[in-house]
Amino acid sequence: MLAHELDARKHQILWAVIQEYVARAEPVASEALCHRYGLGVSAATIRLGMHALTEMGYLYQPHTSAGRVPTDRAYRLYVDRLMAGQVPPPEDHRLTPAERERIRRRMQAKDHAEDALEEAAHTLAALTDYPSVASTPGGPRRLRHLHLIPLADDRALLVVVAEGASEQRVVRLQRPATEEELRQVSQVLTRALRGLPLSEITEAVAQQAAAALPGRQELVNAVLAQLRRHGGVRAGVRFFVDGVSNILKQPEFQDVHRARPVLAALDREETLRDVLLPAPCDVHVRIGRENPVDGMWGCSVVAAAYRVRGRPAGVVGVVGPTRMPYARTIALVRYLAQTLSHTLSRTV
Amino acid sequence: MLAHELDARKHQILWAVIQEYVARAEPVASEALCHRYGLGVSAATIRLGMHALTEMGYLYQPHTSAGRVPTDRAYRLYVDRLMAGQVPPPEDHRLTPAERERIRRRMQAKDHAEDALEEAAHTLAALTDYPSVASTPGGPRRLRHLHLIPLADDRALLVVVAEGASEQRVVRLQRPATEEELRQVSQVLTRALRGLPLSEITEAVAQQAAAALPGRQELVNAVLAQLRRHGGVRAGVRFFVDGVSNILKQPEFQDVHRARPVLAALDREETLRDVLLPAPCDVHVRIGRENPVDGMWGCSVVAAAYRVRGRPAGVVGVVGPTRMPYARTIALVRYLAQTLSHTLSRTV
DNA sequence: GCTAGCACTCTCGCGCTCCGAGTGCTAAGC
DNA sequence: GCTTAGCACTCGGAGCGCGAGAGTGCTAGC
């Protein structure tokens, strides 16, 4: 069962079966290939090839008198070849300049990171017709600013500006603080902690910083507690999901029992994390059983990392059936990640 | 077809049919009522009542030899009586002190408005097993603070603290500004605009404020532009949705064609808005066709406004089949709105 | 006014047959 | 030796009819 046993004709046949199955979602017959694809041989010969491909695990036959369906292994081979440039993407799978332009225009209006991510998921869902996800930037972000803003006597707003994202939290004050006092605490802490990855802001580091702030120990502790939560396991990563109901348009998910696990996985942050991460460098494709989440077998995930100022920050991607126009999906996801990188590097 | 034609026995029968149908999701037969509910009369007599209720539009008969199913009208009557206290809620629909306690504990740990809303949707989904939604506070919120924080030479972070929520936006600077300068602009604008509803911060008001800031016209304009967007039509209302896939557990949504419109409505912000808003005072129930969004017929929405410092701010609610344990759902939604009001009033 | 009895209706599930699509194999041809 | 035409074979799916069962509506009697 070595993948290398595929000669030129078998490749031709396999690609044709994939293309045909992607388009029609029904087992592909030898006749259909014969007179829709110029393979130059008769249906009988194609049958021989299909038979061999079935034995090799690239095709699957639902029952004796049915056509063939590509297996995960077939898609994997196809995608590998595609990404290595050894297979030309079908004409209509390329992104036209007009499409690129439309995507760019939709994205560039957003001057708020979360809006941009939401728009990215939305655009991807609209263009692929699959559920789409964009994660907020995560990973070891470095702190840039801390600001405490007075809200009331017993609480203040802590604004944390980090690379790629900023967030705000409420901190409680055990005793009132003036605006001036808060400003001073912010300044001292910012100076001490700037440039540190949020996850590395430990007690020790901060205590040192707090030395310059006698009498405000509890406030410093409160700020620290928030920072730790912010930069901890959860790391503030959130997901924008769009077009979830699109999955129900796909013929393979007409059965609720097949669709529900997928929707359930898209519902929960923990599984979403597993599905999309770890963030790949370029585009990453997970086909069928390659997915870590049970019940997502039958799905493929195409995801790409976007970058903020050069560093991988978060992920955008789509979840669709394994029967998917990979060339086009990959091109779209890749381009969206690029555009998003660009947009976000201007933002925050 | 006057609703008042219902005598005591018809009421009894109707409530029993509803309860039985909610529990079993199958047309209810007269026999079943007879020996599962102590109505004190025979099946034949119950049949007479059911026949009459069918003619009056409270029950529906899928086919001649089938049992009865409650109509929207029946649920409406039931819910009206329930909320007026004229029908006692079934025993097991009441919230136990233990449940209340659990809800309160889950919610009170959240010190960030968005976390609290997310948790509210999550809790509601977990307890009802229906898709659940929580909206961020909207409406005419009054400004409390403006803060500009330097990010880089060409941009600053604008933190807008308003009643019930705070947000942050990036503003571009046409020329660099020092931290001190930004602080000054923030102070002047805050002093001038504090207390105004975001939607009423017009050009004129702000120009007046800006008079004190010669040479920073463009910065003031940039801030204004952001405020206007922030407080405009979209008003920054966002939705946290949880448990979407739960709808597929319901027997009435085993058919994808019935489920998809519902999921699609939950996907899109515009329809969500229509589904949940306008924010009602206490709990508001929309049954079947009462829903403004086509394709949500067959669903009921139970929603309640939560308040921030006494004013209605946003909404939490669930979307389920019309066949729903209304007493319990209403109690849950109501209690969650209360808890959320409490949590958010401490936050921001 | 209530109830027992009974005929009637309609759905659902089962088994049956038939049709057609598509294969695998074989034997002949280039 | 690879390719191809021809053909038998297999299997799923649609369509049909039937019987069982559930549940009603009606009527006659209490």
Side-chain angles (χ1 to χ4, degrees):
Chain A
M1 277 222 199
L2 290 168
H4 311 89
E5 291 168 13
L6 297 190
D7 57 27
R9 169 163 310 150
K10 292 212 181 62
H11 272 129
Q12 275 191 312
I13 294 175
L14 190 53
W15 299 167
V17 171
I18 290 176
Q19 192 172 335
E20 190 69 6
Y21 185 67
V22 167
R24 311 201 179 234
E26 275 170 12
V28 180
S30 53
E31 297 272 9
L33 289 193
C34 187
H35 59 69
R36 264 199 283 272
Y37 296 78
L39 300 184
V41 287
S42 77
T45 308
I46 293 176
R47 275 205 288 281
L48 290 179
M50 287 168 87
H51 187 82
L53 286 166
T54 306
E55 299 240 298
M56 287 188 261
Y58 291 104
L59 294 178
Y60 162 75
Q61 196 171 19
H63 58 88
T64 330
S65 71
R68 299 307 210 286
V69 172
T71 61
D72 289 359
R73 163 181 261 208
Y75 290 126
R76 169 48 61 205
L77 182 67
Y78 175 66
V79 168
D80 284 347
R81 296 285 166 117
L82 200 61
M83 311 236 320
Q86 294 167 10
V87 172
E91 265 313 313
D92 54 337
H93 284 197
R94 302 235 177 93
L95 288 190
T96 65
E99 285 175 316
R100 286 169 191 265
E101 177 58 24
R102 264 221 322 275
I103 294 173
R104 230 177 309 141
R105 205 170 294 154
R106 285 179 75 157
M107 296 294 301
Q108 82 188 154
K110 306 295 162 182
D111 48 8
H112 185 51
E114 306 219 327
D115 287 354
L117 291 165
E118 198 173 354
E119 182 63 36
H122 191 60
T123 303
L124 213 42
L127 292 177
T128 59
D129 231 26
Y130 299 136
S132 303
V133 188
S135 82
T136 55
R141 282 168 295 156
R142 289 160 198 284
L143 183 73
R144 292 173 62 202
H145 294 266
L146 278 182
H147 279 257
L148 284 163
I149 298 173
L151 284 178
D153 273 356
D154 64 337
R155 56 187 184 272
L157 190 70
L158 170 68
V159 180
V160 182
V161 183
E163 277 168 358
S166 60
E167 286 200 29
Q168 45 197 347
R169 303 271 146 176
V170 174
V171 286
R172 309 205 152 267
L173 305 175
Q174 276 168 30
R175 57 188 176 79
T178 64
E179 184 157 353
E180 178 54 30
E181 211 172 350
L182 291 176
R183 206 162 67 80
Q184 201 185 336
V185 173
S186 312
Q187 262 184 10
V188 172
L189 284 178
T190 298
R191 224 166 276 154
L193 305 176
R194 170 174 291 168
L196 288 178
L198 289 181
S199 53
E200 289 177 23
I201 297 178
T202 59
E203 198 87 23
V205 175
Q207 288 312 336
Q208 206 175 337
L213 295 165
R216 271 315 194 169
Q217 197 56 44
E218 31 76 47
L219 178 52
V220 171
N221 283 341
V223 170
L224 275 184
Q226 290 296 347
L227 280 180
R228 217 170 298 130
R229 210 180 304 178
H230 189 66
V233 181
R234 205 193 149 211
V237 173
R238 287 228 321 260
F239 296 93
F240 292 89
V241 186
D242 202 298
V244 173
S245 65
N246 288 344
I247 199 73
L248 297 184
K249 293 181 189 169
Q250 297 300 325
E252 35 271 270
F253 294 101
Q254 289 309 322
D255 180 2
V256 167
H257 297 96
R258 222 164 279 286
R260 198 155 81 78
V262 180
L263 290 176
L266 291 170
D267 249 1
R268 304 198 312 136
E269 302 231 324
E270 311 92 77
T271 45
L272 261 184
R273 196 183 311 277
D274 293 342
V275 167
L276 284 182
L277 310 174
C281 280
D282 185 39
V283 178
H284 187 82
V285 181
R286 279 218 183 106
I287 297 167
R289 304 259 170 157
E290 295 169 11
N291 281 299
V293 178
D294 321 359
M296 294 262 308
W297 303 348
C299 288
S300 283
V301 176
V302 177
Y306 62 81
R307 293 160 166 269
V308 175
R309 274 188 268 290
R311 292 164 181 272
V315 185
V316 282
V318 303
V319 176
T322 50
R323 180 188 61 81
M324 178 194 271
Y326 286 98
R328 181 170 172 78
T329 310
I330 290 170
L332 276 168
V333 170
R334 176 181 287 139
Y335 192 67
L336 241 112
Q338 277 173 20
T339 315
L340 193 55
S341 301
H342 191 247
T343 305
L344 288 182
S345 294
R346 292 179 318 149
T347 296
V348 175
Chain B
M1 281 225 197
L2 288 169
H4 311 87
E5 291 167 13
L6 297 191
D7 57 28
R9 169 163 310 148
K10 292 212 181 62
H11 271 130
Q12 275 191 310
I13 294 175
L14 190 53
W15 298 167
V17 171
I18 289 176
Q19 194 173 331
E20 190 69 5
Y21 185 67
V22 166
R24 311 201 180 236
E26 275 170 12
V28 180
S30 52
E31 298 271 9
L33 290 195
C34 189
H35 58 72
R36 262 199 283 272
Y37 296 78
L39 299 183
V41 287
S42 77
T45 308
I46 292 175
R47 277 208 285 282
L48 291 179
M50 287 168 85
H51 187 83
L53 285 165
T54 306
E55 299 241 299
M56 287 188 262
Y58 290 103
L59 294 178
Y60 163 75
Q61 197 172 19
H63 57 88
T64 332
S65 71
R68 301 306 211 286
V69 171
T71 61
D72 288 359
R73 164 180 260 206
Y75 290 126
R76 170 47 60 204
L77 183 67
Y78 175 67
V79 169
D80 284 348
R81 296 285 166 115
L82 200 61
M83 310 235 322
Q86 293 167 10
V87 172
E91 265 314 311
D92 54 337
H93 284 197
R94 301 232 178 94
L95 288 190
T96 65
E99 285 175 315
R100 286 170 192 265
E101 178 57 24
R102 262 222 322 276
I103 294 173
R104 230 177 308 140
R105 203 169 298 156
R106 284 180 75 155
M107 295 293 302
Q108 81 189 155
K110 306 294 162 184
D111 49 7
H112 185 50
E114 306 220 326
D115 287 355
L117 291 165
E118 199 173 353
E119 183 61 38
H122 191 60
T123 304
L124 213 43
L127 293 176
T128 59
D129 231 26
Y130 299 137
S132 304
V133 189
S135 82
T136 55
R141 282 168 294 155
R142 289 162 199 283
L143 183 74
R144 291 173 64 202
H145 292 269
L146 277 183
H147 278 258
L148 283 164
I149 297 172
L151 283 179
D153 274 356
D154 64 338
R155 56 187 184 272
L157 190 70
L158 170 68
V159 180
V160 182
V161 183
E163 278 168 355
S166 61
E167 284 200 30
Q168 45 198 350
R169 303 270 146 177
V170 174
V171 285
R172 312 204 150 267
L173 306 175
Q174 276 167 29
R175 58 188 177 78
T178 64
E179 184 157 354
E180 179 53 32
E181 210 172 352
L182 290 176
R183 206 165 65 81
Q184 200 186 338
V185 173
S186 311
Q187 264 186 6
V188 171
L189 283 179
T190 298
R191 222 167 274 153
L193 304 176
R194 171 175 288 169
L196 287 177
L198 288 180
S199 53
E200 287 178 24
I201 296 178
T202 58
E203 198 87 22
V205 175
Q207 287 314 334
Q208 209 174 333
L213 295 166
R216 273 313 194 169
Q217 198 57 44
E218 32 74 45
L219 178 51
V220 172
N221 283 340
V223 172
L224 274 184
Q226 289 296 347
L227 281 180
R228 218 172 295 131
R229 214 182 300 179
H230 190 64
V233 180
R234 205 194 149 209
V237 173
R238 286 226 320 260
F239 296 92
F240 292 90
V241 186
D242 203 298
V244 173
S245 65
N246 287 344
I247 198 75
L248 297 185
K249 293 180 188 169
Q250 297 300 325
E252 35 272 270
F253 294 101
Q254 290 308 319
D255 181 3
V256 167
H257 296 96
R258 223 165 278 287
R260 198 155 80 79
V262 180
L263 290 176
L266 291 170
D267 250 1
R268 304 197 313 135
E269 303 232 321
E270 312 92 75
T271 45
L272 261 185
R273 199 183 308 278
D274 293 344
V275 167
L276 284 182
L277 311 173
C281 281
D282 185 40
V283 180
H284 187 82
V285 181
R286 280 217 182 106
I287 296 166
R289 303 258 171 158
E290 295 169 12
N291 281 300
V293 177
D294 320 359
M296 294 263 308
W297 303 349
C299 289
S300 282
V301 177
V302 177
Y306 61 81
R307 292 159 170 271
V308 175
R309 276 186 266 292
R311 293 163 181 271
V315 185
V316 282
V318 303
V319 176
T322 50
R323 180 188 62 81
M324 177 193 273
Y326 286 98
R328 180 170 171 81
T329 309
I330 290 170
L332 274 168
V333 170
R334 176 182 288 138
Y335 190 67
L336 240 112
Q338 277 172 19
T339 314
L340 193 56
S341 302
H342 191 248
T343 305
L344 288 182
S345 294
R346 289 179 319 149
T347 295
V348 175

